Amino acid sequence: MILKRKLRYILVETSRDFDAADRRAIGELESALMGFMGEHQYADANFRVATMCGGNTFIASVNRGAERSVLLSLSFVRRLGNRDIGIYTIRTSGTMRKLLSECKKLYGG
Amino acid sequence: MVAMPEGVDQKLARRLGYKRVLIVGKDVALLNAGNDTKKTVIYAKNMDAVARHVKSRDVVGFIFDDSSIIRKALEEIHENGKLVVLPLSQIMQHDQRARLRGIGRMRRLLKTALRYRAQVAVVSLAQNKDQMLSRMQLSALASYLGANDEQSKAMLQKIGDVV
């Protein structure tokens, strides 16, 4: 039997460059989120950066049902490392394909 | 509504889901921010400020610091069709304690305002690009503070409708 994981995808834009390939940057974002959500909720949400769309845009995946708390927590993140940052959630969707096409439309990439 | 004198990148505003972004000092004035021909939002520190401005045609709403003022003022605000404006930048602070205090205060304000059936508008009042929030985030924050989905959607429209 194939067990299908139901995920929601969030298109996220940051006010400054954010390199999702950089483990340190991801670590800082994850620990900021964990601070807001608490370990228990954070583990339930299973937040992952799925793919980058550009220098300051990425798609994050979360477990279905946890998107609201992730969205709220992302809104509260105002600093990563020593730099101020703004994190905007642009769209949420059930499929990555939809967000990738949205990404092309918005950023022309 | 933002408080960024340099203005807002219109493309960014579109991506964040806004048709129009109101700028303090240009589209809307905060009290003492200058030109009195503009639509104005008043920082109401006490009842006098409400009593003085509630009948003014140019005043569209009030920002409150304290939910004890709001109870006395709400009747007048409601009668004159003014808004209770919640600036969410107040709960977006680095300091955890200040943020939690802000969230508690904002929740009390919203609860009281909704109980008295006042019209509420949520705004980001961002002072720079980092503090801006998308429509989706504003709506989620309004729900987090105690509004239901319908109310939180309406709260995003209100200030744009009157200015």
Side-chain angles (χ1 to χ4, degrees):
Chain A
M1 193 179 91
I2 298 169
L3 187 67
K4 196 175 176 192
R5 281 170 59 211
K6 294 276 187 185
L7 297 175
R8 292 286 290 176
Y9 296 93
I10 309 174
L11 177 59
V12 181
E13 181 178 337
T14 56
S15 62
R16 301 181 198 293
D17 276 355
F18 178 81
D19 184 9
D22 181 3
R23 281 190 164 275
R24 212 177 67 181
I26 289 288
E28 283 166 356
L29 178 63
E30 285 177 346
S31 47
L33 282 180
M34 211 186 302
F36 291 115
M37 297 170 77
E39 277 186 40
H40 178 62
Q41 265 198 335
Y42 182 78
D44 281 348
N46 189 30
F47 174 87
R48 294 275 184 278
V49 174
T51 182
M52 284 298 289
C53 289
N56 60 348
T57 317
F58 62 90
I59 295 174
S61 70
V62 297
N63 281 347
R64 199 166 67 173
E67 65 267 27
R68 188 137 218 167
S69 55
V70 171
L71 203 144
L72 269 174
S73 307
L74 284 171
S75 311
F76 284 116
V77 177
R78 285 281 168 260
R79 181 171 286 178
L80 289 180
N82 296 325
R83 296 170 65 198
D84 285 346
I85 195 164
I87 299 186
Y88 324 123
T89 54
I90 309 288
R91 298 269 191 286
T92 60
S93 174
T95 63
M96 182 123 81
R97 189 187 296 176
K98 175 85 188 293
L99 285 189
L100 284 171
S101 69
E102 198 70 44
C103 208
K104 265 188 193 163
K105 209 163 37 170
L106 289 170
Y107 305 99
Chain B
M1 185 166 99
V2 299
M4 295 159 62
E6 72 274 15
V8 178
D9 176 2
Q10 287 304 319
K11 281 185 185 167
L12 174 65
R14 276 285 152 88
R15 288 201 298 273
L16 298 183
Y18 301 107
K19 284 182 188 157
R20 190 162 64 120
V21 177
L22 302 174
I23 299 168
V24 169
K26 191 176 163 201
D27 304 308
V28 182
L30 284 177
L31 186 67
N32 301 331
N35 201 338
D36 28 353
T37 57
K38 285 172 189 153
K39 297 288 182 187
T40 309
V41 174
I42 307 282
Y43 263 116
K45 296 263 181 206
N46 51 43
M47 257 315 277
D48 288 349
V50 179
R52 231 180 308 134
H53 298 286
V54 76
K55 292 212 163 80
S56 166
R57 204 185 297 166
D58 292 329
V59 173
V60 292
F62 294 88
I63 294 174
F64 292 96
D65 272 345
D66 185 4
S67 55
S68 64
I69 303 170
I70 204 173
R71 289 195 191 101
K72 301 169 198 163
L74 271 170
E75 206 169 300
E76 285 192 70
I77 289 175
H78 184 62
E79 275 172 18
N80 291 283
K82 305 297 183 202
L83 298 172
V84 174
V85 180
L86 297 181
L88 295 184
S89 58
Q90 286 183 7
I91 60 169
M92 295 291 166
Q93 297 166 18
H94 294 306
D95 181 43
Q96 191 184 30
R97 281 174 192 277
R99 191 170 56 240
L100 291 175
R101 260 199 311 275
I103 290 172
R105 201 181 59 229
M106 207 66 95
R107 277 197 168 143
R108 282 193 298 278
L109 272 169
L110 182 63
K111 195 175 161 190
T112 319
L114 291 176
R115 194 192 301 153
Y116 286 83
R117 295 183 180 181
Q119 296 188 71
V120 182
V122 288
V123 297
S124 70
L125 208 63
Q127 289 171 356
N128 55 49
K129 201 178 156 192
D130 296 340
Q131 291 182 356
M132 285 184 75
L133 295 165
S134 70
R135 249 181 95 82
M136 196 192 293
Q137 285 170 305
L138 279 185
S139 168
L141 283 164
S143 302
Y144 173 64
L145 293 174
N148 62 32
D149 285 352
E150 205 174 300
Q151 286 167 334
S152 59
K153 272 182 195 157
M155 284 175 194
L156 300 183
Q157 301 280 1
K158 287 275 163 59
I159 201 144
D161 291 345
V162 290
V163 177

